[in-house]
Amino acid sequence: MSRKLKFSKELTNQSKASSLDLRPVSTLEVGREGGVAEFEVGNEDLQANDKGNFVYRLVIFPFIAVLILGLIISGHFDIYSSDVQNFGSTRSKKLLPNRGVIVDKNGVILAENVPSMNLYIDSEIFQRLEEQERDEVLVLLQEKLNGKWEDYDQEGNGLYESLKEKYEFLYSDQRWFVQLKLASGLENDMAIELKAIADEYEFLIVDDHNVRNYPYGQLTSHLLGYSSNISAEDIESLDYLSIENQDETVGKLGLERFYDALLRGENGYAIEERNARGELVSDGFRVVDEKIEGANLQLNLDIVAQQKMYEILEKAVQEYEADGASGIIQRIDDGGIEVIANYPSYDNNPFVSGISIGEYAKIRENPNRPLVDRALGAQLPPGSIFKTLTAAVGLQSGVIDSDTTYLSRDGYAFSNDVIFPEINNNSYGNLNVVDALSVSSNIFFCEVMRNGLEIDEFSGYLDKFGIGKTTGIDTFSEASGMLPSRANKESLALNRAWLDPIWYPEGDSCNTAIGQGITTITPIQAVNWVSTLNNGGKVFEPSLVQASFDGELGDESRELSPTVVNKDFIDQQNLETVIEGMRYAVERERLGIYPLKDTKYGVGAKTGTAEFGRIDPETGYYEQQHGWVVGFFPAQEPKYSFVILLENGKRGLNAAITAKEFLDWHYGYVQVLDGSDPNVEFDLEVDEGAPEDTL
């Protein structure tokens, strides 16, 4: 099924569920003991008076009792008056807010609330039954619920052996809650059947509520994460949660977790008052604390471009027999992420109500690892895309300038006669840094290290670019990669018998210069440093969310300001030299990145083929290779940076071919959106729901 996108400023269906959710939370019993009102949950101030006036009450109380009896007999005292009703009880109910929705930059809903039926049990009434009778009811309900009562941890393991065990845990852990949630997400037929049972048992309640739904499933699962039932671990790790929230939901991964406190809103409360005879004093439940609805989030993401990237990555993984792929598009001027896609991925919807062990095992055992967020978590050697950083640092350190040349020749070797060749044993002659970037010379960048760029100084600059640490993107599960340094090599060698802990100033430094050795990066780090090269040297925290708002899209919003974590450590002229080399790598007649030459935008780019694993004795090449490409577009006035990773995708040129398909599509898409070319034909349909994962 597909739907036409309407890029309007009105947000509909913020929540398809009921706007009012009343659930009893606790019962505060007020009794008479020793002449003092005592709350069951404890009231130290009231109880303190009881100890201090024991003798006084011992003398006075009989006199007061006789006086009251006389007044009653004479008709001068009403035992059901407002003075006596205070010794009754108060029942409170939570007013649950709707969780905020999440929309893309154009207002397309990515995370919404849909109606759901839940089953609750009134433990106060249920506990009055004999134990055998309670057991019989729970066995009946377990049969009717057909697994809906089960709760799972994030690995798909069941938390309870039976519904009885679940109830007993909830009752012991939440004794002051009147209603305990036994099951959620009931299908309509099941809800109807349970309502019929509830008619026979006053302690059962089938209640309308809502659950999270993600219309685009696999397209956004790594990005959004999901929300589900709160666990004990959630309460322990999040300081804004308490045992009182245990029957609610919480963000588990991704944006749902990172912005959970904002999305969830604040509970309200209503109370119902009864007198000592159990008769209602108040007119139903009275709201004493209004709920605050969860805030909505508007992302920088464009779901249409996200889907196109996903489709292109899927095609590339299959064509090049890669293990997986990732693609990111970032705005250069503020770090906003408009596309961040992984293939393969998984559907996050089954996790909302609790995924079964079988379903989870199927996802987890997929050899292509769909649960891995490659955009943020794939820590892999960068290969030759790293030469853009080596060039920038070499220039800034003064080891080279734009006119420095080194000779690319056959037989180039270290002082111990170990050969360090160009790709395919090429010889390019004398090269300056722009030439070296355009042909991806290994020898030039090795010479930069051998002629004065010490590893400690190099690592210091790489740290400023964000290598070896997380970028600070507003979500979870980001990996840091590995900064090349003496200390890190020594640390790695402790657990790797084959790795020498000594840093060799030729071998290790030259391997580092060309993106091999111990260096690992993530795709988000790569796209972020390309933005830094193009925006005057500012290192942004990449941002997924651009604003939060209440009500409808277009109402007053709260913009999130871009965060700059570093700047002014690279001179503009040095940045321009590197950018010129990346443009020339695409534009030069021979040996350039030919798949990108006729891209409609015009781009600057750098490819990388990162070798890993064993060397094939027959071919002399490594058995596995990662394909990278990074770049920016349009070439002359860059607005976006991009990265494509093909994990075990053979070579960087394959990543460049993949990038070209997306960039040409994006060019037509932008023409339609801004109306600059009315003759461009373009289909703006986007699938509603996740595409099939064919792996």
Side-chain angles (χ1 to χ4, degrees):
M1 182 175 65
S2 63
R3 65 181 179 188
K4 288 282 186 178
L5 293 183
K6 297 181 179 179
F7 299 122
S8 67
K9 291 299 181 182
E10 295 182 3
L11 178 64
T12 59
N13 282 336
Q14 177 175 337
S15 173
K16 300 178 182 177
S18 169
S19 62
L20 183 64
D21 187 324
L22 295 176
R23 273 190 275 161
V25 181
S26 61
T27 301
L28 304 180
E29 296 292 348
V30 184
R32 294 196 64 188
E33 192 169 335
V36 173
E38 178 180 344
F39 286 84
E40 187 175 286
V41 243
N43 188 317
E44 295 179 0
D45 292 335
L46 288 174
Q47 293 173 6
N49 294 331
D50 193 40
K51 299 175 182 177
N53 297 297
F54 174 74
V55 176
Y56 178 78
R57 292 198 307 271
L58 189 63
V59 175
I60 297 301
F61 184 75
F63 172 77
I64 294 176
V66 172
L67 177 61
I68 292 175
L69 181 60
L71 289 170
I72 292 173
I73 293 172
S74 62
H76 289 93
F77 194 97
D78 183 0
I79 195 168
Y80 304 116
S81 72
S82 60
D83 291 326
V84 181
Q85 76 180 26
N86 290 328
F87 298 99
S89 65
T90 299
R91 289 162 56 94
S92 65
K93 289 185 178 182
K94 276 189 288 191
L95 311 178
L96 291 182
N98 291 309
R99 192 170 180 86
V101 301
I102 302 175
V103 303
D104 84 338
K105 62 181 292 187
N106 297 305
V108 179
I109 294 178
L110 308 178
E112 62 185 345
N113 305 312
V114 297
S116 173
M117 305 293 285
N118 300 333
L119 176 66
Y120 298 89
I121 192 164
D122 189 315
S123 60
E124 189 176 58
I125 301 174
F126 189 59
Q127 283 300 120
R128 297 172 190 164
L129 303 180
E130 295 292 333
E131 182 178 359
Q132 181 179 347
E133 197 172 354
R134 292 200 302 269
D135 290 348
E136 291 173 355
V137 171
L138 292 171
V139 168
L140 172 65
L141 293 176
Q142 179 171 328
E143 178 185 341
K144 298 297 183 184
L145 286 168
N146 192 28
K148 283 290 184 180
W149 60 271
E150 295 184 86
D151 290 335
Y152 303 92
D153 61 21
Q154 293 189 21
E155 284 71 44
N157 300 309
L159 299 180
Y160 311 105
E161 293 293 330
S162 65
L163 183 58
K164 178 183 177 181
E165 181 184 343
K166 178 178 182 177
Y167 170 78
E168 289 176 346
F169 171 78
L170 294 175
Y171 180 68
S172 64
D173 210 34
Q174 308 178 39
R175 293 196 70 131
W176 53 86
F177 286 69
V178 173
Q179 288 186 1
L180 304 177
K181 184 166 67 175
L182 297 183
S184 59
L186 307 179
E187 289 89 359
N188 190 53
D189 291 345
M190 183 182 292
I192 292 173
E193 186 174 5
L194 288 169
K195 281 183 177 181
I197 297 174
D199 289 340
E200 302 178 25
Y201 299 109
E202 59 176 335
F203 47 78
L204 291 179
I205 305 102
V206 179
D207 185 26
D208 293 331
H209 191 44
N210 59 55
V211 295
R212 212 57 161 168
N213 180 60
Y214 304 101
Y216 300 100
Q218 292 175 206
L219 298 181
T220 57
S221 57
H222 291 119
L223 167 69
L224 298 177
Y226 64 95
S227 66
S228 188
N229 294 332
I230 288 177
S231 67
E233 290 76 15
D234 295 321
I235 293 174
E236 183 177 346
S237 61
L238 299 175
D239 57 10
Y240 54 86
L241 296 181
S242 69
I243 194 68
E244 181 183 322
N245 305 109
Q246 193 158 347
D247 63 337
E248 301 169 23
T249 60
V250 69
K252 297 288 187 176
L253 293 172
L255 291 176
E256 290 277 26
R257 181 71 163 197
F258 193 88
Y259 288 100
D260 180 71
L262 192 62
L263 288 164
R264 68 183 299 104
E266 296 181 20
N267 293 343
Y269 292 92
I271 62 172
E272 177 190 71
E273 298 168 314
R274 294 177 180 269
N275 61 25
R277 295 177 61 90
E279 298 168 335
L280 278 175
V281 175
S282 58
D283 184 14
F285 280 92
R286 174 171 56 86
V287 175
V288 294
D289 192 2
E290 294 284 354
K291 66 181 178 180
I292 300 176
E293 301 288 9
N296 305 309
L297 298 180
Q298 184 176 22
L299 307 188
N300 290 306
L301 190 86
D302 185 323
I303 190 61
V304 180
Q306 176 84 354
Q307 175 170 306
K308 178 54 66 173
M309 178 67 82
Y310 185 92
E311 292 171 352
I312 291 172
L313 294 178
E314 177 182 14
K315 174 183 174 184
V317 166
Q318 295 170 353
E319 182 173 349
Y320 303 120
E321 298 180 333
D323 294 337
S326 179
I328 307 174
I329 307 295
Q330 182 182 41
R331 291 196 301 267
I332 286 170
D333 62 349
D334 65 359
I337 301 295
E338 295 204 0
V339 172
I340 183 165
N342 296 302
Y343 185 86
S345 183
Y346 67 97
D347 185 1
N348 46 357
N349 285 293
F351 287 82
V352 173
S353 297
I355 190 168
S356 69
I357 294 176
E359 289 178 291
Y360 183 75
K362 182 179 178 181
I363 298 172
R364 186 177 55 191
E365 292 167 7
N366 185 324
N368 295 88
R369 303 178 300 158
L371 292 172
V372 174
D373 184 350
R374 287 176 166 84
L376 304 182
Q379 303 177 92
L380 302 171
S384 291
I385 65 171
F386 207 65
K387 293 171 182 174
T388 59
L389 293 181
T390 308
V393 175
L395 290 164
Q396 187 64 28
S397 67
V399 172
I400 61 171
D401 59 31
S402 58
D403 295 323
T404 301
T405 61
Y406 295 121
L407 179 63
S408 167
R409 63 188 185 277
D410 187 28
Y412 178 85
F414 297 147
S415 57
N416 61 358
D417 296 328
V418 172
I419 299 296
F420 190 79
E422 296 285 17
I423 300 169
N424 297 324
N425 293 310
N426 288 322
S427 298
Y428 303 113
N430 283 315
L431 301 171
N432 62 24
V433 65
V434 170
D435 296 327
L437 284 170
S438 69
V439 299
S440 197
S441 170
N442 290 339
I443 292 174
F444 182 94
F445 293 106
C446 178
E447 283 288 278
V448 172
M449 305 301 289
R450 294 180 73 186
N451 282 276
L453 184 53
E454 296 286 343
I455 187 59
D456 294 335
E457 183 179 13
F458 190 27
S459 296
Y461 276 105
L462 294 176
D463 178 76
K464 294 177 181 179
F465 272 104
I467 305 304
K469 55 188 178 184
T470 57
T471 64
I473 189 171
D474 48 341
T475 186
F476 289 102
S477 304
E478 184 184 7
S480 62
M482 175 68 73
L483 181 73
S485 69
R486 301 176 195 273
N488 282 339
K489 188 181 182 188
E490 289 177 5
S491 178
L492 285 173
L494 292 176
N495 298 314
R496 294 167 174 81
W498 51 267
L499 183 62
D500 190 335
I502 298 173
W503 187 273
Y504 293 96
E506 289 184 320
D508 284 327
S509 294
C510 286
N511 274 329
T512 296
I514 65 171
Q516 296 290 161
I518 67 171
T519 308
T520 59
I521 65 162
T522 62
I524 191 66
Q525 289 172 334
V527 78
N528 211 42
W529 90 56
V530 175
S531 288
T532 298
L533 294 173
N534 281 274
N535 65 22
K538 295 188 291 291
V539 180
F540 284 104
E541 285 186 352
S543 56
L544 297 170
V545 175
Q546 63 169 284
S548 65
F549 62 96
D550 303 318
E552 301 295 319
L553 186 62
D555 293 347
E556 184 177 353
S557 62
R558 298 169 290 278
E559 300 289 332
L560 276 66
S561 300
T563 300
V564 177
V565 296
N566 215 335
K567 62 179 181 178
D568 301 330
F569 62 95
I570 294 274
D571 295 339
Q572 182 62 34
Q573 65 181 17
N574 294 329
L575 295 172
E576 290 174 358
T577 299
V578 177
I579 294 306
E580 182 184 355
M582 295 178 72
R583 289 196 191 102
Y584 194 33
V586 175
E587 296 168 359
R588 69 176 292 142
E589 291 299 322
R590 295 177 62 250
L591 303 173
I593 307 173
Y594 65 84
L596 296 176
K597 283 186 184 298
D598 60 349
T599 304
K600 293 177 181 178
Y601 272 119
V603 301
K606 184 72 194 77
T607 55
T609 303
E611 301 165 329
F612 71 107
R614 298 177 181 273
I615 296 178
D616 189 326
E618 295 183 5
T619 65
Y621 291 102
Y622 285 85
E623 289 180 334
Q624 297 176 310
Q625 297 174 325
H626 302 306
W628 291 90
V629 64
V630 295
F632 53 87
F633 64 96
Q636 298 306 317
E637 295 182 4
K639 294 181 179 179
Y640 299 97
S641 60
F642 68 88
V643 62
I644 299 290
L645 164 67
L646 299 181
E647 185 180 337
N648 195 19
K650 307 297 186 294
R651 56 181 186 157
L653 285 178
N654 293 342
I657 294 169
T658 304
K660 182 184 187 304
E661 184 174 355
F662 177 84
L663 292 171
D664 284 346
W665 173 90
H666 193 269
Y667 179 86
Y669 177 52
V670 170
Q671 300 302 307
V672 170
L673 290 183
D674 64 18
S676 58
D677 189 347
N679 296 317
V680 174
E681 295 184 2
F682 201 84
D683 186 5
L684 285 181
E685 287 191 358
V686 61
D687 289 345
E688 184 173 359
E692 289 292 323
D693 187 351
T694 57
L695 289 177

